[in-house]
C-alpha cells in the first residue's frame, strides 16, 4: 500500500494526475498486428494466437532480409523458405504458415490487406494455428516490410 500511495503522490507532484504506476508504453506495430489478427480470429470462433519469441525472431529476420534487398517473397535471399526460418529460430513446428507484405503504412492497413487476400486470410483464420510472431522493418527509403509467422508446436 505504501508503494502505491508513494507512486500516486509522486505522480501528482510531477503533474501527472490520473496516472498511477509506470507509464504505459504504446503497443508496438508488431503487437498491434497481433491484436488486430486476434480480433479477426475470435470473431470467427478461433482462439487468439499467443506471441512467441522464436516465431518473432524468424519473422523479424525475414522482414529485415526483404527490406535490405527490396525483395518481397516467402523465399529468403539465401534460398530459405518459411519452414527453414521457423525451424532455425528454434520453434518446434508441427504446423506453420507465413504472411508477407510491403508498403502498408500501419498495422491496420497490413492486416486489412491480408484479410482481403484469400490465402493470407486463410492463414489468419486457421484455428489449427496457436502461436504467432510478427516482424516489421522499414528500409532506408521508408518502405515498411511485414511478416507474420504462425505455428503450432509438435
Amino acid at each position: 500500500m505504501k508503494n502505491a500511495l508513494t507512486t500516486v503522490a509522486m505522480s501528482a507532484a510531477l503533474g501527472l494526475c490520473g496516472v498511477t504506476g509506470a507509464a504505459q508504453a504504446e503497443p508496438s506495430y508488431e503487437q498491434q498486428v497481433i491484436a488486430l489478427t486476434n480480433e479477426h480470429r475470435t470473431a470467427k470462433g478461433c482462439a487468439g494466437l499467443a506471441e512467441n519469441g522464436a516465431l518473432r525472431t524468424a519473422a523479424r529476420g525475414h522482414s529485415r532480409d526483404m527490406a535490405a534487398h527490396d525483395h518481397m517473397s516467402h523465399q529468403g535471399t539465401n534460398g530459405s523458405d518459411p519452414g527453414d526460418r521457423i525451424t532455425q529460430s528454434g520453434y518446434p513446428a508441427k504446423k506453420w504458415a507465413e504472411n508477407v507484405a510491403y508498403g502498408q503504412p500501419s498495422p491496420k492497413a497490413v492486416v486489412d490487406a491480408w484479410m482481403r487476400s484469400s490465402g493470407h486470410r486463410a492463414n489468419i483464420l486457421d484455428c489449427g494455428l496457436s502461436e504467432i510472431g510478427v516482424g516489421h522493418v522499414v528500409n532506408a527509403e521508408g518502405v515498411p516490410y511485414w511478416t507474420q509467422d504462425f505455428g503450432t508446436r509438435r
Side-chain angles (χ1 to χ4, degrees), residues 10 29 34 48 68 89 104 119 131 147 154:
M10 288 174 57
Y29 270 15
I34 294 168
S89 75
Q104 295 80 7
E131 296 181 292
T147 304
R154 276 183 261 156

Side-chain angles (χ1 to χ4, degrees), residues 16-146:
L16 302 173
C17 295
V19 177
T20 58
Q24 294 287 328
E26 181 73 22
S28 72
Y29 270 15
E30 293 170 353
Q31 292 166 328
Q32 290 177 51
V33 166
I34 294 168
L36 291 165
T37 298
N38 280 336
E39 285 178 19
H40 287 289
R41 287 174 60 84
T42 58
K44 293 296 183 185
C46 294
L49 297 161
E51 186 174 8
N52 178 274
L55 291 173
R56 181 180 55 239
T57 296
R60 283 181 180 167
H62 188 53
S63 288
R64 192 175 305 110
D65 179 50
M66 290 189 301
H69 296 97
D70 192 27
H71 169 83
M72 203 225 27
S73 173
H74 290 288
Q75 183 174 11
T77 57
N78 65 357
S80 65
D81 69 26
D84 297 331
R85 293 186 295 274
I86 288 168
T87 299
Q88 289 169 359
S89 75
Y91 188 83
K94 173 172 73 173
K95 181 177 183 175
W96 58 263
E98 181 176 78
N99 288 345
V100 295
Y102 80 104
Q104 295 80 7
S106 69
K108 182 175 180 356
V110 74
V111 173
D112 286 351
W114 283 327
M115 290 302 290
R116 287 190 304 270
S117 161
S118 61
H120 296 107
R121 179 184 178 90
N123 288 340
I124 288 171
L125 300 179
D126 184 340
C127 295
L129 295 165
S130 59
E131 296 181 292
I132 188 172
V134 175
H136 168 253
V137 175
V138 178
N139 73 6
E141 290 77 36
V143 178
Y145 285 79
W146 305 87

